[in-house]
Amino acid sequence: MRIRVHNQLDDLAHDTRTVANRARRDMTAVVRKNTREGNRIAKAFASEQHTMFSDADIEYPPSFTWEMLSPLEGEYGPDQAIGDGSQSPGYEFGSINSPPHFDLARSVEAIQHRFLWDVQDLPDRWFWPGAK
Amino acid sequence: MSALTLDARKHAAAIKTVVSAALGTKWNAFDYGEVPGYDGNPGPKPDLFALVSVDMVPATGQRMSAQTGMTRWIASVRGVGPTVQEAQWVLFKAMGVLHEARLTIDGRDTTPLQASNGQAPRKDGPAYSGLAVYTYSH
């Protein structure tokens, strides 16, 4: 069997228009997914720290929230207005008396690779739809 | 190549050794809770010191079935002193020997430590303290 694929400038022009339309939506989806996932991991670290070993700081993990600041910009972490969120600098960085917990720093270490892979996947999906 | 070292004590020991050396003969690096004069420990309180913490980061970037020959670590150094400037001095001295440096742990070199994050010195109990965070793989 032989398959011939003819590509012409018209097709490239069509693809380029399609990519331009899809790119922004797809990039937003990747940022949104990884922001939400980063928050989930950070919150899991905080839960582990604060509910497995004590019940004194049980109001800290629920303060972890995420939101999209703009289509390509997400933010996650403890919300100062919720629960013990205002104590996050003490938990995250520690003090003379207690070592840092690094709930956020460890979540960044975990999420950065997935985020990178997702971003690298984007162009493949634009030029070869369905070829993921 | 020697085996992975998952024992955080060896990582902390390596970091405490180089930081203590950088702080000269008078000042030292300690684990949290081990500082003389604090937490009911015997001995006179040092004016200046460094506190070291080490955390392993779970390899969540990997597939469940994957094996890895490397682990990811987060280390932190807290510089403590009676003034902001002295706390900064401790952080500066520690950074001089840690940033971009490879440590040898169990006969195997780490990747160069990268200063990644931190907190400026502020009032903290009886002293001022600030934090510098380093990441590396081993």
Side-chain angles (χ1 to χ4, degrees):
Chain A
M1 192 176 81
R2 176 179 293 177
I3 297 175
R4 284 199 180 151
V5 179
H6 294 279
N7 279 312
Q8 300 182 354
L9 279 177
D10 290 357
D11 301 319
L12 181 60
H14 176 263
D15 280 356
T16 309
R17 275 194 302 276
T18 312
V19 167
N21 287 334
R22 285 191 56 177
R24 196 166 177 83
R25 192 189 64 201
D26 287 358
M27 289 190 293
T28 299
V30 162
V31 173
R32 171 183 286 271
K33 174 194 157 194
N34 283 281
T35 305
R36 192 178 57 212
E37 185 69 1
N39 188 62
R40 188 185 68 75
I41 294 171
K43 190 174 182 174
F45 282 135
S47 299
E48 182 183 82
Q49 192 87 42
H50 292 279
T51 58
M52 282 174 73
F53 304 132
S54 81
D55 55 7
D57 309 318
I58 206 162
E59 292 302 319
Y60 184 52
S63 72
F64 280 72
T65 56
W66 66 278
E67 61 187 314
M68 296 295 284
L69 301 178
S70 72
L72 296 180
E73 196 179 3
E75 184 180 77
Y76 71 85
D79 186 329
Q80 304 251 331
I82 302 175
D84 285 343
S86 59
Q87 295 176 39
S88 65
Y91 291 136
E92 179 70 10
F93 294 116
S95 68
I96 289 183
N97 299 312
S98 65
H101 290 174
F102 288 144
D103 300 323
L104 288 167
R106 285 185 291 164
S107 78
V108 170
E109 288 289 317
I111 200 66
Q112 62 187 0
H113 306 290
R114 298 180 189 188
F115 196 8
L116 183 64
W117 289 340
D118 284 348
V119 170
Q120 284 176 335
D121 262 354
L122 283 170
D124 289 349
R125 282 193 276 144
W126 293 330
F127 287 98
W128 300 96
K132 188 163 188 293
Chain B
M1 192 164 71
S2 54
L4 282 177
T5 299
L6 301 177
D7 187 346
R9 290 172 301 181
K10 291 184 178 174
H11 290 251
I15 293 169
K16 280 186 291 183
T17 302
V18 294
V19 173
S20 286
L23 296 179
T25 50
K26 202 172 173 189
W27 313 117
N28 283 299
F30 301 95
D31 291 320
Y32 281 83
E34 299 289 324
V35 183
Y38 285 84
D39 301 321
N41 297 329
K45 278 188 179 182
D47 287 334
L48 272 65
F49 57 91
L51 289 165
V52 171
S53 82
V54 180
D55 276 290
M56 198 182 84
V57 183
T60 46
Q62 304 273 335
R63 292 186 188 281
M64 292 294 277
S65 58
Q67 291 195 337
T68 173
M70 273 206 159
T71 43
R72 192 83 181 134
W73 296 81
I74 298 181
S76 78
V77 174
R78 177 170 295 281
V80 186
T83 64
V84 169
Q85 294 234 330
E86 284 160 299
Q88 282 169 335
W89 179 84
V90 175
L91 292 173
F92 165 67
K93 284 294 183 184
M95 185 163 287
V97 288
L98 291 178
H99 184 49
E100 297 288 351
R102 288 170 178 264
L103 300 174
T104 304
I105 297 164
D106 256 6
R108 175 173 155 154
D109 283 355
T110 66
T111 58
L113 273 65
Q114 297 288 329
S116 69
N117 197 351
Q119 197 181 33
R122 62 198 61 204
K123 189 82 182 131
D124 188 357
Y128 285 85
S129 88
L131 192 75
V133 183
Y134 301 88
T135 55
Y136 63 96
S137 299
H138 178 260

